[in-house]
């Protein structure tokens, strides 16, 4: 978040689950609650056409990247708690994505092909910086 703030970009994270679960997650990360939106019915995920399912989560070649970064994952999940997991346990099969908007205009969009398949933070920051200058 500090890198986005320094670039003058508003960062919003959308997660599956209820606002109560989002508050638990925001507290444990820590991550500012005002930047974390809850989407219990995964409507944003559906509108964006993000992938969902067992195959995408565990059996997609893109998901194998996650195993090569085990120490990073351990660090990223050290504050994880089962209490923050959505009541609808199938939500753990929801893949995410990264999108950069300027108003309603989509400047960058990338769907995660599988678990842990995220774009480079530097690439996203670069898109954001170009967008704020343009």
């Amino acid at each position: 978040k500090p890198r986005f703030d320094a670039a003058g970009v508003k960062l919003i994270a959308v997660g599956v689950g209820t606002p109560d679960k989002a508050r638990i997650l925001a507290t444990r990360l820590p991550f500012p609650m005002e930047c974390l939106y809850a989407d219990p019915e995964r409507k944003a995920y559906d509108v964006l056409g993000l992938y969902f399912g067992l195959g995408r989560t565990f059996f997609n070649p893109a998901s194998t990247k996650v195993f090569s970064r085990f120490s990073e994952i351990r660090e990223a999940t050290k504050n994880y708690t089962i209490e923050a997991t959505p009541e609808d346990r199938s939500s753990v099969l929801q893949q995410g994505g990264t999108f950069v908007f300027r108003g309603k205009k989509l400047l960058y969009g990338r769907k995660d092909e599988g678990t842990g398949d995220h774009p480079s933070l530097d690439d996203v920051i670069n898109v954001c910086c170009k967008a704020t200058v343009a």
Side-chain angles (χ1 to χ4, degrees):
K1 177 137 177 20
R3 289 183 67 189
F4 288 95
D5 290 344
V9 175
K10 182 178 181 179
L11 174 66
I12 297 173
V14 179
V16 297
T18 63
D20 289 343
K21 300 290 185 171
R23 275 191 271 296
I24 294 168
L25 186 62
T27 301
R28 291 187 64 102
L29 285 176
F31 189 81
M33 188 62 199
E34 66 271 9
C35 298
L36 182 58
Y37 292 25
D39 184 7
E41 287 136 19
R42 300 191 311 262
K43 290 180 180 181
Y45 294 82
D46 290 342
V47 166
L48 294 167
L50 298 176
Y51 302 120
F52 176 84
L54 188 66
R56 283 282 180 179
T57 303
F58 296 110
F59 305 112
N60 187 294
S63 296
T64 61
K65 293 178 191 177
V66 79
F67 299 116
S68 66
R69 299 179 6 231
F70 187 73
S71 61
E72 292 174 39
I73 292 170
R74 185 181 313 160
E75 179 65 22
T77 60
K78 72 180 179 187
N79 291 329
Y80 175 76
T81 175
I82 195 73
E83 295 168 356
T85 302
E87 298 298 328
D88 174 7
R89 297 292 192 240
S90 70
S91 292
V92 301
L93 301 177
Q94 179 66 63
Q95 298 305 307
T98 303
F99 300 87
V100 177
F101 292 92
R102 181 178 215 169
K104 293 181 180 182
K105 182 179 179 186
L106 177 64
L107 302 177
Y108 174 88
R110 184 178 182 285
K111 300 177 187 180
D112 296 346
E113 293 289 329
T115 301
D117 178 43
H118 308 299
S120 151
L121 182 57
D122 289 335
D123 290 347
V124 176
I125 291 288
N126 287 336
V127 169
C128 292
C129 289
K130 288 178 187 173
T132 57
V133 173

